[in-house]
Amino acid sequence: MNEQQYLMLCARRQGSDAFVWQTPPLAIAAQAFLLIASLDDQTKPGIAVVLAVFSGLLGMASVQLMMKHRHREIEDSELLLQFERAHEQDGYAVLHGRRGPVDGVPRNWLVRQSSFRVWSATLAGFVGLALYAAIVALTR
């Protein structure tokens, strides 16, 4: 890999990271719309079930999309790390790879948690809520 490819890979990694964090708010907005319509008493039961099922599918697709973007970001980060290690003698600092605690910067319990895992679980929770909405709609 040459320097230009390194820079392109840096930009692609940043783009993948941005996509990871664009997924949850868009997914939650779409799912909220579908769930509100599904749980509305004025929505016919058949339509409510379809909306709830679609909300659940959207939730599962969102979790998969978030995981895919994260996977690609990790792959690119690993490639960058390998390049940086191989070119340390040329002045490249090792900036990529897993991050650990920094001396002098305290990390409480909440900060130590993986935001990726928290948001994946939250989106999965919306899938469960969609299943609940479908059951409610079927029992009307």
Side-chain angles (χ1 to χ4, degrees):
M1 173 183 338
N2 62 36
E3 188 172 341
Q4 185 177 7
Q5 290 170 322
Y6 173 81
L7 294 173
M8 289 172 59
L9 191 56
C10 281
R12 185 172 78 180
R13 194 211 63 79
Q14 286 177 323
S16 294
D17 186 56
F19 286 145
V20 168
W21 301 113
Q22 288 174 0
T23 303
L26 294 173
I28 288 174
Q31 286 181 284
F33 173 78
L34 293 169
L35 288 172
I36 288 170
S38 174
L39 293 169
D40 187 342
D41 288 336
Q42 295 180 0
T43 304
K44 293 181 181 178
I47 293 172
V49 169
V50 170
L51 292 172
V53 168
F54 189 68
S55 177
L57 292 173
L58 177 65
M60 289 187 299
S62 298
V63 171
Q64 188 275 341
L65 179 63
M66 192 173 170
M67 288 180 170
K68 180 78 151 212
H69 287 312
R70 178 73 173 137
H71 179 76
R72 291 209 169 147
E73 186 270 328
I74 290 170
E75 286 178 337
D76 288 347
S77 190
E78 183 61 31
L79 289 171
L80 291 165
L81 175 64
Q82 291 171 10
F83 180 87
E84 290 164 354
R85 284 184 177 157
H87 293 87
E88 268 187 288
Q89 72 280 3
D90 299 329
Y92 283 87
V94 178
L95 301 173
H96 293 88
R98 291 207 171 262
R99 294 177 63 179
V102 176
D103 290 338
V105 180
R107 294 174 58 183
N108 63 32
W109 175 85
L110 198 55
V111 171
R112 286 192 305 263
Q113 304 310 308
S114 165
S115 296
F116 176 79
R117 288 185 180 153
V118 168
W119 276 103
S120 294
T122 300
L123 290 173
F126 271 88
V127 174
L129 186 57
L131 177 61
Y132 171 78
I135 291 169
V136 167
L138 285 171
T139 59
R140 278 190 207 159

